[in-house]
């Protein structure tokens, strides 16, 4: 299978309020804002190394989690979907997103109430999209998204979720028929046809890696996952994500790619 070629990424600068981002891991402590900014700069550099033109949006102080721009939209090859985040504190992050996406898309649709959907739950595998039925993306939102996909010639499939934040927190598509999975997703029938690479139990954070063009970006500090991806023939770039991890953010969360 030929991987989709991405040319563009959108990111949003972390706000100082980032230190109050939603987290299920308070034991990791609050993010260090200055270090988060440096890691964000490096992340942009990694996207550029993958060949992307990166558009950097300004920070939004009123939204601590707004640097996780992946959650507010889904960008397909032919249309963009503005989501309706399931986290109430994040719902208004979508303000202004339509104007930004209008630079790139003529066809933009929006999830309508009572549906909720977050982009972290959406995984693109060619013309098929897997969508996590998580605590953030409800059945109505998933159904609205599947209807939009089908109207544009794609297919979508809801995926029941383990107690994991987003679908891509625990599984990510590496192209070339390779699915990176944590232990929960390893036995998923939805993924049975893929060659699965299971991340070790002490590297579950690395289940969210990012394949972009000829590279896979891997969170640093996960040597066995890194080695497994390299053994599968993939070129890797390591990226320190320590400060975003403290508020449940992974590599994919920090950008929209299309
Ligand atoms: C949240 O709980 O919404 C943020 N603290 C983390 C969002 C991570 N986004 C993603 O996985 N796509």
């Amino acid at each position: 299978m030929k991987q989709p070629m991405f040319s563009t990424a959108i990111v949003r600068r972390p706000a100082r309020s980032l230190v109050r981002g939603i987290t299920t891991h308070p034991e990791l402590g609050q993010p260090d804002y200055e270090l988060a900014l440096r890691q964000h700069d490096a992340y942009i550099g990694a996207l550029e190394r993958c060949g992307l033109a990166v558009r950097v949006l300004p920070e939004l102080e009123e939204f601590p989690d707004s640097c996780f721009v992946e959650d507010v939209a889904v960008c397909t090859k032919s249309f963009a979907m503005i989501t309706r985040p399931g986290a109430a504190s994040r719902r208004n992050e979508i303000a202004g997103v339509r104007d930004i996406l209008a630079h790139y898309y003529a066809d933009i649709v929006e999830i309508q109430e009572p549906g909720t959907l977050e982009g972290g739950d959406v995984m693109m595998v060619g013309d098929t999209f897997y969508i996590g039925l998580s605590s953030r993306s409800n059945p109505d939102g998933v159904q609205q998204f599947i209807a939009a996909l089908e109207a544009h010639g794609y297919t979508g499939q809801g995926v029941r979720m383990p107690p994991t934040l987003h679908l891509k927190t625990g599984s990510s598509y590496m192209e070339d028929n390779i699915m990176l999975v944590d232990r929960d997703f390893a036995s998923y029938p939805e993924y049975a046809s893929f060659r699965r690479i299971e991340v070790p139990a002490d590297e579950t954070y690395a289940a969210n890696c990012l394949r972009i063009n000829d590279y896979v970006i891997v969170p640093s500090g996960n040597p066995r996952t890194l080695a497994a991806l390299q053994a599968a023939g993939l070129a890797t770039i390591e990226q320190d994500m320590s400060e975003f991890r403290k508020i449940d953010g992974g590599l994919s969360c920090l950008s929209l790619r299309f």
Side-chain angles (χ1 to χ4, degrees):
M1 188 189 303
K2 180 96 183 78
Q3 83 248 26
M5 290 292 289
F6 298 118
S7 62
T8 307
I10 296 175
V11 302
R12 187 179 289 287
R13 289 301 271 172
R16 280 192 183 279
S17 57
L18 169 91
V19 299
R20 300 192 305 276
I22 305 167
T23 185
T24 57
H25 289 288
E27 76 281 3
L28 297 178
Q30 281 194 344
D32 174 324
Y33 177 62
E34 300 299 331
L35 181 53
L37 281 185
R38 290 199 294 281
Q39 291 179 350
H40 199 255
D41 283 336
Y43 179 81
I44 292 169
L47 297 180
E48 289 173 339
R49 191 171 154 201
C50 294
L52 304 188
V54 183
R55 175 157 180 193
V56 184
L57 305 176
E59 64 273 20
L60 294 174
E61 275 306 333
E62 62 273 46
F63 298 112
D65 291 294
S66 53
C67 62
F68 301 121
V69 70
E70 172 178 69
D71 293 320
V72 298
V74 179
C75 295
T76 75
K77 287 195 207 71
S78 57
F79 78 104
M81 169 66 86
I82 296 173
T83 67
R84 187 167 177 272
S89 68
R90 303 197 58 189
R91 195 147 296 158
N92 291 331
E93 287 179 23
I94 64 165
V97 170
R98 175 178 280 275
D99 289 344
I100 294 156
L101 291 176
H103 289 280
Y104 307 97
Y105 286 95
D107 190 352
I108 302 174
V109 284
E110 282 183 44
I111 297 290
Q112 304 295 327
E113 192 177 355
T116 65
L117 184 78
E118 295 190 1
D121 279 317
V122 178
M123 186 195 305
M124 181 175 72
V125 179
D127 288 341
T128 299
F129 291 73
Y130 293 91
I131 311 142
L133 286 151
S134 72
S135 62
R136 302 287 184 90
S137 299
N138 68 18
D140 187 274
V142 171
Q143 214 35 61
Q144 288 183 44
F145 182 51
I146 291 174
L149 287 169
E150 290 176 350
H152 290 83
Y154 305 106
T155 57
Q157 182 181 342
V159 178
R160 82 197 145 78
M161 288 283 293
T164 299
L165 176 59
H166 287 128
L167 182 70
K168 286 185 294 190
T169 311
S171 58
S172 350
Y173 189 52
M174 298 289 98
E175 305 296 333
D176 305 318
N177 204 44
I178 298 170
M179 188 68 75
L180 189 62
V181 288
D182 69 10
R183 183 177 293 172
D184 284 331
F185 283 104
S187 58
Y188 261 48
E190 289 89 341
Y191 296 158
S193 65
F194 297 104
R195 173 180 169 195
R196 279 151 290 161
I197 296 178
E198 184 176 339
V199 300
D202 57 352
E203 295 188 8
T204 52
Y205 179 70
N208 182 270
C209 285
L210 194 48
R211 172 77 190 257
I212 301 177
N213 300 337
D214 293 335
Y215 292 98
V216 177
I217 308 178
V218 182
S220 49
N222 296 283
R224 289 157 70 202
T225 304
L226 184 75
L229 291 166
Q230 290 170 344
L234 296 165
T236 54
I237 299 173
E238 286 188 86
Q239 166 65 36
D240 191 353
M241 290 289 290
S242 65
E243 302 316 293
F244 300 103
R245 181 181 188 173
K246 291 173 180 172
I247 50 170
D248 294 346
L251 283 163
S252 69
C253 323
L254 285 176
S255 59
L256 290 165
R257 303 144 310 264
F258 48 95

